[in-house]
Amino acid sequence: MKKRISNKKLTWILAIIFVVISFYPLFAFLGTQTLRTWDESRVAASSYEMTKTKNPLVVTFDYKPDHWSVKPPLAIWIEALSIKIFGGNEAAVRIPSALAIMFLGVVIILLSGVIQKPFLGFYSASVMICSKGLLYYHSGRSADYDALLCLFMISYLLLFFVYTETKDKKYYKLFFIALILATLTKGVQALLPLPFLPIYVLFRKQFVSLLKDKSTYIGIGLFVLFVGGYYIGRELSYGGYLKAVYENELGGRMLTVIEGHYGGNDYYFKELQENYFTYFLPLLGLALVFNLFIKDKQAQRLSFFAFFTALLIFIIITIVKTKLPWYNAPLIPLFGLIIGTSLYVIHNWIISLKKHIPDINALIFVGYFAVFFTPYVEIVNHIYKPKEHPWYHPHYSRLELMNMIIDKKFNIEEPIVYMDSDNLQDFMFYFHVMNHYGVKAIRKDINNLKVGDVLQINEPKNFELISSKFEYEEIYTHVQSKLIRLKNIKE
């Protein structure tokens, strides 16, 4: 008689298979494109600066306390560590995000294995890794906050669910740890699904037992200690931080449109439909209806736990005035759990036919291949040797030229001058890395430029200013960005 594989062993086998499947989409050509404008460039610069300031409490930009991005520092700490290990380059600051999505898939599979449903986790993780929203801009392949937020947020939600199913205290304790880590990653956004949890335990008739559990109060105390301690500590280190948090994260972002990021009530649905969950969105509605009628009540509870947490997040981000597409990111793994539940039930039904079908495993493999091949290939093609879109190439040519200088493709003895009027957000990380690797880079105001200076000019308006004041020698031109040497002052 053929020996049946244990649940624990099967869970780990599926987790390893997921790691293999996800490795190429997450890590291939990770450092090929230059850092993206705004958040990614800024987070990378702040992470590099933390390796120099060695101040874990205060996040800086241009070595000044950063009040534009006021998130807690966990992502910055992790990226700073990655820079220490892998050096100052694009891949180093993106590796933590790629690992976060990979670990999230593993966590989903392992926690599904705890409730004896590893295939449910595997199918859910597969939906996630084949969804464009977590592999394209601002998430699993970007040095932003959102991949780490997804890892810790979905982890604390699943840990809470598993605790309500198993009553094993270690999952309740791990829930609080993941909640703290999520909040230290992206502040208030990590708490969006939290109000649903007391409603869920009321529904499960476990609310009173949680109130009586001392672990609840220890967990809340640790949350206040670590999260509240960070916010208060940073405010005490220099004034104005809590005011900046309110203006950027709470009142300002929620009640008003910041930096032109506006949209209608259908904004996030359109993003899901067109960019984030394109292939699987039609399956989501079918899965929700299908899951209403399944006999496995535990799987059904997980499906609707995921649905209502996703619904709460969706409602809140729709109400918030400032709209940004990556606010959708935590919805993807939750939607994956809903679809994964349906696929798991279908999987079990196919297994039940093994008396009538000789090679049932081959049928399951063909079914998996049919569902996931097309979206997986689309993602693989997208990340293969990525090239700049012609529309954006002039903008990012400045960073490509800085990489050429860092790689010593030009034999220039003088310092490279960058103008203060240029876009500091974009090039600050590269500016730091140039000096790190022995290429001297300095910044000057236009009025302090002198004959003999070697400049990298990126903005057409700055080139016009220089041309009106100086005669120059062109050293190299890359798309829109120019490397020039000032020769004479024009009369």
Side-chain angles (χ1 to χ4, degrees):
M1 185 175 177
K2 190 175 181 180
K3 187 177 179 181
R4 186 176 178 178
I5 189 170
S6 70
N7 177 76
K8 184 176 181 181
K9 188 174 181 180
L10 176 62
T11 300
W12 279 106
I13 289 172
L14 291 175
I16 292 168
I17 292 172
F18 173 78
V19 168
V20 173
I21 291 170
S22 65
F23 191 87
Y24 188 92
L26 286 169
F27 293 96
F29 309 105
L30 193 59
T32 300
Q33 282 191 312
T34 56
L35 299 177
R36 305 295 89 181
T37 296
W38 306 117
D39 290 13
E40 186 181 36
S41 295
R42 195 175 187 103
V43 171
S46 295
S47 300
Y48 180 87
E49 289 175 16
M50 190 165 280
T51 68
K52 299 300 180 183
T53 65
K54 296 180 171 56
N55 183 343
L57 192 63
V58 179
V59 176
T60 63
F61 182 77
D62 196 15
Y63 292 105
K64 303 178 186 68
D66 190 5
H67 279 184
W68 185 83
S69 179
V70 293
K71 309 291 188 298
L74 183 58
I76 305 294
W77 294 344
I78 295 171
E79 287 189 23
L81 177 62
S82 186
I83 290 170
K84 283 283 191 181
I85 296 170
F86 300 107
N89 55 71
E90 294 89 349
V93 293
R94 289 169 176 161
I95 283 172
S97 292
L99 286 173
I101 298 301
M102 179 179 282
F103 289 156
L104 175 55
V106 171
V107 166
I108 290 171
I109 296 168
L110 295 182
L111 291 178
S112 297
V114 171
I115 57 173
Q116 308 294 308
K117 294 172 174 56
F119 270 107
L120 189 156
F122 179 71
Y123 291 130
S124 302
S126 297
V127 171
M128 180 190 73
I129 205 63
C130 291
S131 301
K132 293 195 295 184
L134 289 188
L135 274 296
Y136 284 14
Y137 179 63
H138 220 284
S139 193
R141 291 174 57 88
S142 300
D144 297 295
Y145 304 97
D146 299 275
L148 285 164
L149 172 68
C150 286
L151 169 62
F152 297 127
M153 180 192 283
I154 305 306
S155 293
Y156 85 64
L157 289 171
L158 279 178
L159 285 163
F160 189 84
F161 176 84
V162 168
Y163 171 68
T164 64
E165 295 293 322
T166 65
K167 304 299 188 297
D168 188 332
K169 286 286 184 67
K170 72 180 177 185
Y171 298 111
Y172 195 38
K173 294 171 184 176
L174 287 171
F175 154 75
F176 281 108
I177 292 172
L179 176 63
I180 291 167
L181 294 174
T183 311
L184 288 176
T185 298
K186 209 173 180 187
V188 69
Q189 192 172 345
L191 307 178
L192 295 187
L194 202 59
F196 174 69
L197 301 190
I199 297 171
Y200 182 73
V201 290
L202 277 170
F203 169 76
R204 295 280 286 133
K205 299 179 181 178
Q206 297 178 17
F207 186 77
V208 174
S209 63
L210 283 182
L211 284 180
K212 293 179 178 178
D213 191 339
K214 66 178 182 181
S215 297
T216 300
Y217 303 100
I218 293 172
I220 293 172
L222 289 173
F223 180 88
V224 172
L225 176 65
F226 283 100
V227 176
Y230 172 76
Y231 280 94
I232 293 170
R234 187 163 168 182
E235 173 68 20
L236 291 176
S237 68
Y238 66 94
Y241 174 65
L242 292 180
K243 182 174 181 290
V245 170
Y246 175 79
E247 291 173 348
N248 284 277
E249 299 295 310
L250 297 170
R253 191 170 294 270
M254 290 188 173
L255 301 178
T256 61
V257 175
I258 291 180
E259 297 161 359
H261 297 300
Y262 58 85
N265 291 332
D266 61 347
Y267 177 87
Y268 289 107
F269 180 79
K270 285 183 176 179
E271 282 293 331
L272 288 168
Q273 188 178 46
E274 297 172 6
N275 299 309
Y276 272 66
F277 209 54
T278 52
Y279 182 81
F280 293 104
L281 192 59
L283 296 179
L284 181 62
L286 293 173
L288 279 168
V289 174
F290 181 85
N291 293 346
L292 282 170
F293 302 100
I294 62 178
K295 293 180 179 179
D296 187 333
K297 296 304 176 186
Q298 189 178 60
Q300 190 179 67
R301 285 195 295 272
L302 177 56
S303 172
F304 287 98
F305 178 85
F307 170 72
F308 283 110
T309 50
L311 180 62
L312 179 59
I313 293 170
F314 186 83
I315 289 171
I316 293 173
I317 63 178
T318 298
I319 292 171
V320 170
K321 297 296 184 182
T322 299
K323 305 282 197 273
L324 289 164
W326 47 90
Y327 288 176
N328 264 329
L331 299 178
I332 306 305
L334 293 170
F335 291 162
L337 285 165
I338 296 167
I339 297 172
T341 299
S342 296
L343 295 176
Y344 164 74
V345 172
I346 295 169
H347 169 99
N348 285 345
W349 174 75
I350 294 173
I351 291 293
S352 72
L353 301 176
K354 62 183 177 181
K355 291 181 180 179
H356 309 288
I357 301 174
D359 198 346
I360 201 75
N361 292 325
L363 179 60
I364 290 173
F365 176 80
V366 169
Y368 181 87
F369 189 84
V371 172
F372 294 106
F373 178 76
T374 298
Y376 186 84
V377 168
E378 183 180 351
I379 285 170
V380 166
N381 289 337
H382 177 79
I383 61 98
Y384 178 74
K385 295 183 179 179
K387 294 180 174 60
E388 290 294 351
H389 189 283
W391 181 264
Y392 299 111
H393 201 188
H395 176 84
Y396 286 109
S397 65
R398 68 191 68 194
L399 308 183
E400 293 171 346
L401 182 54
M402 293 180 87
N403 269 337
M404 294 178 194
I405 297 170
I406 292 167
D407 293 339
K408 307 291 197 327
K409 293 187 176 179
F410 305 101
N411 185 23
I412 299 172
E413 301 296 330
E414 306 94 318
I416 310 295
V417 178
Y418 293 87
M419 296 173 63
D420 282 335
S421 57
D422 213 332
N423 188 339
L424 296 182
Q425 296 242 124
D426 279 357
F427 76 74
M428 185 62 75
F429 174 78
Y430 295 89
F431 181 84
H432 291 326
V433 171
M434 287 174 76
N435 285 292
H436 178 84
Y437 287 114
V439 179
K440 190 171 182 182
I442 59 175
R443 284 160 43 199
K444 286 187 178 183
D445 182 84
I446 190 170
N447 296 318
N448 295 325
L449 296 175
K450 64 181 189 300
V451 171
D453 281 345
V454 175
L455 279 70
Q456 182 179 333
I457 305 296
N458 303 308
E459 301 284 353
K461 63 179 182 181
N462 286 337
F463 184 70
E464 290 175 9
L465 282 171
I466 295 299
S467 299
S468 67
K469 293 181 178 244
F470 291 93
E471 294 177 359
Y472 62 88
E473 169 195 1
E474 188 172 302
I475 300 172
Y476 190 82
T477 296
H478 179 65
V479 192
Q480 179 178 281
S481 196
K482 296 178 182 293
L483 196 61
I484 65 173
R485 180 179 281 107
L486 303 184
K487 302 294 285 184
N488 297 298
I489 298 174
K490 287 185 176 179
E491 296 297 332

